[in-house]
Amino acid sequence: MSFGPYLLLAVLEGLVSAAVLALTAVGLGLVFGVMRVVNVAHGAFFMLGAVIAWMVADALPGPPALGFAAALVVAPLAVAALAAAVDFGVLKRLGYDPDATIVATIGVLYIVEQAALSLFGPDARPVQAPFNLRLQLPWFGYSGYKLAVVAAAVVVLLAVWLVLSRSRAGLVMRATQIDGETARAFGIDTDRVYAGVFALGAGLAALAAVLVVPIQQAHYLMGGDPLLLSFIVVIIGGLGSLRGTVIAALLIGVSEGVVSVFFSPTLAKILATLLVALVLVFRPQGLFGRRAA
Amino acid sequence: MLEIADIAAGYGPVRVLEGLSLKVPAGQVTCVMGRNGAGKSTMLKAVMGLVRVEAGTVALEGQRIERLEAHRVPGLGIGYVPQGRRLFGDMTVAENIAIGLRTRGRGAATRERVLDLFPRLRERLGQLSRTLSGGEQQMLAVARALCLEPKLLMLDEPTEGLQPSMIALIREVVLRLRDEGVAVLLVEQRVDAVLAMADRVAFMTGGHVAEVVPAPGLTPEAPQFVRYVGV
């Protein structure tokens, strides 16, 4: 294969990573933006989404599409419910203290990971893609499912943007993000907003995981990379900026795809981490974040 | 209307209010004056449920509210204009008003009424509130509170940093609300603004109300201003 098609393949692979990463990182960014909670358990919620997807798909007989569709609904909802319980049982009791919640979510990460290991086992397990369409390009064939993942991520991200910018729930979330105390003085139950945002963030991670699990397989340690990359994306994009998060996910995802294909995945991670260091030194508010007044 | 009886409140181990009592009658403007640190803003926050009341009672029209969660307080009809305005800066004027309308008020009718009071805001509905001038921001802070159709309006230093024409506008609105029967509780540092608006003046020191004086008996030279405010 000559350079051009090879590059196209790399970019396509990068777009798929970027799509999954954008969904995961937007969840992490929302939680940090609104609640000021650094959720170290975000990767564990991602992993749990994949594991539940496998369980649901495995339990349902019939065509793979049915099991996958059920997983697409059940896994994000189940993970969101768990996250709401963590918010109520742990984070709220800590008064959303920024330092204490970091330690607490590290604890949640280990509990969820070990629970998955005990119940699910140490093996990686595949979930069948809902359809097997191969798109034949002149130079190579490409998975139709992977392109569907990109399209699904675009739709979900658009929906998140619409909810945040146009709906009453989004208005309330933004008010809480800007000034929680004043939001309460105008009748907003910020505790409910926090629980909802934490559930939404975790649900987005789980949704990303369900989408990725036909490509990547479910494994109880699969949450590490998405967590690290989400932090990288959220820092580069600018905390609290949805647009910045999505653009940074594209930048990191596509460049990782290209560098991985031409060089090595390790070099891709080194470069991404280096970029974070540069952003933190030269533009600590991120590419699209605003400096705190 | 509002009756604060012997409350104590503060932040963690630090008690700011101690033995504070004050009545705020309907249809009157009650001004609160005192030096920095006297507890004026903390008193408003205690009424709003934003600072925990550890002892004593707060009652609105006879209903005890000091144990309510903060987000339940505005629904009872208490509008609050915090110190420094505390607008939702990254939201538009229209969105700030929409936040005010969420809990109480009569929707579009209330919105129209409030925008009629501040026509300048009507021209700026799509503008981010942090890009407004200081005076316009204060108008919006008051407008947002009025969206609750409050029975009690509490304003924390609303004239701070404003030019005279804006102060006059704020005064006009406050007096109009008073005439409509709203109870107004106004924290204010400027003697001229207090004398132009107040029916009663409460002087605070050391976290409690030391003296309540009917405004008609006060002149700028009154000894209370020197004693409690230092002017």
Side-chain angles (χ1 to χ4, degrees):
Chain A
M1 201 156 51
S2 60
F3 178 75
Y6 206 44
L7 183 66
L8 176 65
L9 178 66
V11 168
L12 282 175
E13 285 295 301
L15 275 179
V16 177
S17 319
V20 176
L21 182 54
L23 281 182
T24 317
V26 161
L28 186 76
L30 267 178
V31 167
F32 184 81
V34 176
M35 306 168 68
R36 301 282 136 186
V37 166
V38 174
N39 179 20
V40 184
H42 199 63
F45 290 145
F46 178 91
M47 175 273 291
L48 201 57
V51 166
I52 293 175
W54 176 82
M55 287 173 168
V56 171
D58 190 55
L60 274 182
L66 181 70
F68 184 81
L72 211 47
V73 177
V74 173
L77 286 181
V79 172
L82 174 71
V86 167
D87 172 77
F88 182 77
V90 181
L91 304 182
K92 187 179 171 188
R93 277 158 218 273
L94 294 172
Y96 300 101
D97 176 78
D99 300 334
T101 49
I102 291 181
V103 179
T105 53
I106 292 175
V108 173
L109 160 75
Y110 284 125
I111 291 169
V112 173
E113 255 180 23
Q114 293 307 310
L117 175 63
S118 310
L119 298 173
F120 177 76
D123 303 326
R125 298 172 199 253
V127 171
Q128 255 189 296
F131 55 85
N132 276 316
L133 185 73
R134 204 156 177 80
L135 221 68
Q136 196 52 54
L137 300 174
W139 316 277
F140 54 84
Y142 198 71
S143 156
Y145 176 73
K146 285 186 176 177
L147 294 178
V149 167
V150 175
V154 169
V155 170
V156 173
L157 289 171
L158 270 178
V160 170
W161 175 75
L162 273 177
V163 166
L164 282 178
S165 61
R166 300 288 151 88
S167 76
R168 287 174 72 93
L171 188 71
V172 164
M173 274 164 59
R174 282 185 290 141
T176 306
Q177 171 169 5
I178 296 168
D179 186 343
E181 184 179 88
T182 305
R184 280 201 295 284
F186 282 87
I188 293 174
D189 183 351
T190 49
D191 284 348
R192 258 180 68 184
V193 175
Y194 287 163
V197 166
F198 202 64
L200 176 64
L204 282 171
L207 181 65
V210 179
L211 290 175
V212 89
V213 87
I215 304 170
Q216 217 185 25
Q217 300 199 352
H219 183 252
Y220 82 104
L221 287 176
M222 73 190 292
D225 270 5
L227 177 69
L228 175 69
L229 286 172
S230 293
F231 272 120
I232 288 176
V233 161
V234 167
I235 291 169
I236 292 178
L239 290 164
S241 162
L242 182 67
R243 188 180 55 149
T245 303
V246 172
I247 292 175
L250 268 175
L251 186 74
I252 295 295
V254 173
S255 60
E256 200 199 358
V258 172
V259 175
S260 299
V261 166
F262 285 100
F263 302 97
S264 80
T266 311
L267 180 64
K269 289 221 170 51
I270 292 173
L271 288 177
T273 318
L274 189 66
L275 184 59
V276 167
L278 290 175
V279 165
L280 283 176
V281 171
F282 293 107
R283 206 177 151 81
Q285 74 273 32
L287 298 181
F288 294 89
R290 277 201 306 119
R291 218 176 255 281
Chain B
M1 177 63 69
L2 179 76
E3 194 166 343
I4 304 171
D6 203 18
I7 61 166
Y11 305 90
V14 184
R15 276 216 170 165
V16 180
L17 307 179
E18 191 80 70
L20 183 148
S21 298
L22 181 67
K23 288 182 184 174
V24 184
Q28 288 195 22
V29 176
T30 305
C31 279
V32 178
M33 297 190 85
R35 289 191 171 85
N36 286 338
K40 307 179 297 288
S41 297
T42 306
M43 173 177 72
L44 300 194
K45 286 190 177 185
V47 173
M48 291 308 295
L50 298 171
V51 170
R52 213 175 94 81
V53 175
E54 288 151 21
T57 61
V58 180
L60 183 76
E61 292 181 317
Q63 183 190 349
R64 297 265 298 268
I65 62 168
E66 77 275 0
R67 289 275 169 266
L68 281 184
E69 291 172 281
H71 69 271
R72 301 204 183 278
V73 174
L76 303 172
I78 304 184
Y80 174 46
V81 181
Q83 189 174 20
R85 297 156 199 145
R86 306 275 294 259
L87 294 173
F88 300 112
D90 281 335
M91 305 199 326
T92 62
V93 171
E95 287 174 330
N96 271 276
I97 286 179
I99 290 283
L101 288 169
R102 268 183 76 256
T103 350
R104 241 176 92 90
R106 296 166 293 120
T110 302
R111 186 175 190 270
E112 285 309 300
R113 180 174 166 259
V114 168
L115 289 175
D116 284 345
L117 282 175
F118 301 105
R120 184 121 39 117
L121 294 179
R122 198 188 283 282
E123 299 161 14
R124 307 239 188 291
L125 283 172
Q127 199 172 322
L128 285 185
S129 62
R130 70 181 149 82
T131 64
L132 297 174
S133 72
E136 289 164 348
Q137 290 194 6
Q138 191 58 267
M139 283 184 206
L140 181 55
V142 176
R144 183 177 63 174
L146 293 184
C147 287
L148 293 159
E149 298 261 357
K151 302 173 200 166
L152 167 68
L153 179 65
M154 303 198 297
L155 307 100
D156 199 344
E157 301 206 26
T159 65
E160 196 182 17
L162 295 190
Q163 58 190 46
S165 63
M166 278 305 162
I167 296 177
L169 178 65
I170 299 282
R171 186 181 67 211
E172 195 184 306
V173 170
V174 164
L175 295 182
R176 192 160 152 182
L177 290 164
R178 176 196 69 182
D179 294 342
E180 290 171 7
V182 174
V184 180
L185 180 57
L186 176 67
V187 170
E188 184 55 76
Q189 291 285 55
R190 301 166 57 107
V191 174
D192 55 340
V194 167
L195 292 177
M197 285 189 265
D199 295 298
R200 301 155 70 240
V201 184
F203 292 96
M204 277 183 77
T205 182
H208 68 281
V209 173
E211 204 173 328
V212 181
V213 184
L218 280 174
T219 61
E221 292 77 30
Q224 286 93 341
F225 291 124
V226 180
R227 196 178 311 146
Y228 299 113
V229 193
V231 291

